Amino acid sequence: MDRFLKAMRSLRFRLMLVNACVVLLASMATLLTLRAGMQFALLHELDQILSEDLSEVELALAAGDDARSSELREQLERKARGHIQHRWFVQLLPVAGISGGEASGPDAAGTLLLASVQADGNRWQSVNTPAFLRDHPGPLHSPTTLEGYRIHTRTIGKGQGVLTQLRIGASLDLIRRDLALIDRITGVVMVLGLIIAPLGGYALAGVATRPLEQIIRTADRLRPEQLDERLPLRGRGDELDQLSLAFNRLLDRIASFLERNGDFLANAAHELRTPLAALRSTAEVALRSERSVTEYQDLLGTIIEEGETLELLVNQLLLLAESEASVDSVVTHGELTDLGAVIEQACDMFAGVAESRSIELTCQTLPQVFVRGNRQHLRQVMNNLIDNAVKFTASGGRVDVRLDLGPIPRTARLVVSDTGVGIPPADQPRLFERFFRGERSHRRDLPTRGTGLGLSICEAVVKAHGGTIEVASEPGTGSCFTVTLPLGVP
Ligand code: ADP
């Protein structure tokens, strides 16, 4: 029962159902249209024959044949017998109240001037009987369908004072028989369709859904630690191939994301291990033997320094995680931040360091340039960029910070340029990678040693704010970092 319910919920079953309904409805509509067309064509053909017969008899009458002449009567009798299967008949009757002689007056409506006579068949008899005429004494619309007969009528003798109505008709039985045959064929075709459409639909849906089953099986086999399997492409370029392609691309992205995260974790652990090891060994040295107060003070100073390095690293890791998690939400829900004020604060903070290293730091901002986002994070971007610029610029150099509206509409542009050491072209593409440090920055003995997280934090924050960050640099000449941020709507 469960398997049956599961099969009924399957895509294959639904495709089959839709396919069967469409095929059945389409064939039903076709057959019904055909039937209506056939009915119209048969009736039209009969109408044409009757109309020709009408003209023929009218001509014979106009040629002077008396309606009661035995020759005409015989001729019509012959024709009636010849068309017995159609129950063909002809009647000539005076139009009540107008024609003269014995047929005048309403009571005379039943008096036929001429009627073809057929011996067989009750219905035929009834058409020829005065009773039929009594029921329909007046002029009939032509052509008309009456009691299973198709009847054409023409009023003749106009202008001679005597009006006579000529009626020629035939039974619709043959047409009905033909239509009944079509109905039977329709019925058989529908029954066959009812059997074949679902079976064919089920087989077709099976062909269409087989690749999906393969996708499901492959997806089931995938594990986060083993993502090297990819879906095979059938090379048809259809939607299923596109689905497989999209699925494979998703797997590529997940695999590279997991790899990056794995590397990040390993790097983070490695970076944390160095100050931790330094902390521990300094403490061990302090405990190994009795020392003077100055020696203890020195060792404790080292411990505090390593503690600060650890704190900085942990804070930067937290900041990175926070800004990566806040993509989109920070722009929509962030506070309106005056970018000029944030930049001026950052410049003020570095003015002392720059001065002590004889670096000229200039700061050019614009008032009322607002962006929506996290003020603390934006401040961190400024700090990192100015810190790097000052760090990597020798005494006598300059660092320029500028805020303007830039060439892109509705964006603010922040440029931090320096006349420092510059960045080798080979390093430039890797600059925003986590823990990436240039040659100079690796050296523990130099004051410029950093964590390698500063620019990746800048990139994560700027991206979270819907902006971009770019670098242009030439070794020996200097570097220029450009941040573009969308202006905030108050
Ligand atoms: P760090 O904390 O080491 O400064 P960053 O992510 O901020 O980490 O920078 C990564 C590397 O990019 C640095 O180690 C340095 O080699 C290079 N770099 C960044 N800014 C500059 C600059 N203004 N001039 C020269 N090199 C720079």
Side-chain angles (χ1 to χ4, degrees):
M1 188 65 189
D2 256 13
R3 270 183 70 178
F4 178 69
L5 284 176
K6 204 175 155 201
M8 271 190 28
R9 277 200 302 271
S10 71
L11 182 62
R12 186 175 183 180
F13 181 80
R14 274 183 289 156
L15 276 176
M16 181 269 283
L17 212 62
V18 171
N19 179 65
C21 287
V22 169
V23 168
L24 285 176
L25 284 177
S27 41
M28 205 189 284
T30 312
L31 290 170
L32 286 177
T33 313
L34 263 177
R35 185 190 190 276
M38 200 73 177
Q39 186 177 18
F40 177 79
L42 289 171
L43 200 62
H44 183 70
E45 197 188 350
L46 182 64
D47 277 344
Q48 241 173 347
I49 293 169
L50 292 178
S51 169
E52 278 166 20
D53 291 347
L54 203 63
S55 302
E56 206 178 297
V57 177
E58 191 185 6
L59 273 177
L61 285 169
D65 283 345
D66 187 300
R68 289 190 185 83
S69 93
S70 57
E71 201 184 324
L72 179 66
R73 195 174 277 272
E74 236 173 72
Q75 198 187 329
L76 293 174
E77 288 295 320
R78 254 203 316 277
K79 194 170 169 82
R81 280 199 187 86
H83 293 301
I84 189 163
Q85 76 275 28
H86 290 124
R87 303 189 186 282
W88 185 91
F89 76 91
V90 57
Q91 293 175 337
L92 199 62
L93 63 152
V95 178
I98 301 174
S99 64
E102 76 247 68
S104 64
D107 293 342
T111 318
L112 280 169
L113 298 177
L114 174 112
S116 57
V117 178
Q118 285 288 338
D120 76 309
N122 292 334
R123 290 177 66 194
W124 174 231
Q125 288 297 335
S126 76
V127 172
N128 263 342
T129 54
F132 179 81
L133 296 174
R134 245 199 319 281
D135 291 344
H136 310 286
L140 298 170
H141 293 291
S142 188
T144 189
T145 303
L146 206 66
E147 298 187 9
Y149 281 84
R150 189 71 172 166
I151 303 170
H152 281 235
T153 316
R154 201 170 289 172
T155 307
I156 54 176
K158 278 182 196 152
Q160 298 157 22
V162 183
L163 285 185
T164 319
Q165 200 180 75
L166 176 63
R167 289 177 178 179
I168 288 185
S171 160
L172 292 168
D173 276 359
L174 276 189
I175 293 184
R176 286 192 183 138
R177 228 173 296 155
D178 285 348
L179 289 178
L181 184 67
I182 291 176
D183 287 347
R184 274 202 297 281
I185 293 173
T186 306
V188 172
V189 170
M190 291 312 288
V191 170
L192 283 178
L194 266 174
I195 298 166
I196 293 169
L199 288 179
Y202 196 66
L204 267 177
V207 173
T209 53
R210 203 160 303 136
L212 285 178
E213 284 163 16
Q214 197 177 9
I215 293 177
I216 294 168
R217 274 199 303 274
T218 310
D220 267 348
R221 271 201 304 273
L222 292 171
R223 297 280 170 271
E225 60 277 7
Q226 197 228 331
L227 282 177
D228 45 3
E229 197 171 356
R230 294 290 177 274
L231 290 172
L233 298 181
R234 294 172 311 145
R236 302 216 182 125
D238 57 10
E239 285 87 343
L240 289 169
D241 262 0
Q242 282 168 23
L243 175 67
S244 303
L245 261 176
F247 190 77
N248 286 348
R249 282 197 298 263
L250 172 71
L251 287 178
D252 287 345
R253 285 197 295 275
I254 294 177
S256 84
F257 175 78
L258 289 177
E259 194 183 336
R260 255 185 46 196
N261 265 9
D263 288 352
F264 176 62
L265 205 62
N267 283 336
H270 183 78
E271 293 294 326
L272 288 169
R273 204 166 57 177
T274 315
L276 275 174
L279 264 178
R280 187 192 161 128
S281 63
T282 313
E284 277 170 358
V285 169
L287 284 179
R288 206 167 291 150
S289 54
E290 284 265 323
R291 293 176 190 279
S292 68
V293 174
T294 335
E295 274 178 321
Y296 279 128
Q297 278 172 344
D298 278 354
L299 289 169
L300 283 174
T302 311
I303 287 177
I304 289 173
E305 227 172 79
E306 294 299 342
E308 277 169 359
T309 308
L310 262 180
E311 197 181 353
L312 173 73
L313 202 60
V314 171
N315 283 341
Q316 285 191 321
L317 286 174
L318 272 175
L319 188 60
L320 198 61
E322 240 178 75
S323 45
E324 282 187 348
S326 67
V327 178
D328 293 339
S329 66
V330 73
V331 183
T332 40
H333 300 113
E335 57 179 318
L336 218 48
T337 307
D338 185 342
L339 211 51
V342 172
I343 292 168
E344 271 164 18
Q345 270 182 343
C347 284
D348 287 349
M349 193 173 119
F350 285 94
V353 192
E355 202 185 320
S356 71
R357 300 192 49 212
S358 311
I359 293 169
E360 190 182 342
L361 174 65
T362 67
C363 193
Q364 252 181 15
T365 59
L366 286 178
Q368 306 283 314
V369 177
F370 290 100
V371 296
R372 203 168 268 287
N374 185 319
R375 192 186 159 87
Q376 293 310 320
H377 289 189
L378 289 170
R379 173 79 195 273
Q380 196 61 49
V381 173
M382 303 298 131
N383 288 352
N384 290 356
L385 291 179
I386 301 173
D387 181 32
N388 279 345
V390 172
K391 246 185 346 190
F392 295 106
T393 301
S395 290
R398 53 181 296 139
V399 171
D400 298 304
V401 183
R402 193 178 77 242
L403 171 71
D404 57 29
L405 289 180
I408 306 169
R410 287 192 290 280
T411 58
R413 181 174 66 172
L414 164 76
V415 183
V416 179
S417 58
D418 62 60
T419 57
V421 291
I423 303 155
D427 284 357
Q428 288 179 22
R430 302 190 52 206
L431 222 51
F432 298 100
E433 281 178 19
R434 295 149 173 188
F435 296 111
F436 174 79
R437 276 173 295 202
E439 183 54 30
R440 197 176 147 77
S441 199
H442 274 294
R443 290 171 51 189
R444 233 172 121 74
D445 53 323
L446 287 175
T448 50
R449 185 179 166 268
T451 57
L453 284 175
L455 286 178
S456 37
I457 289 173
C458 289
E459 193 190 37
V461 171
V462 169
K463 265 192 183 170
H465 285 73
T468 56
I469 179 164
E470 283 161 18
V471 61
S473 177
E474 208 166 306
T477 309
S479 312
C480 176
F481 285 83
T482 308
V483 173
T484 307
L485 289 168
L487 288 178
V489 188

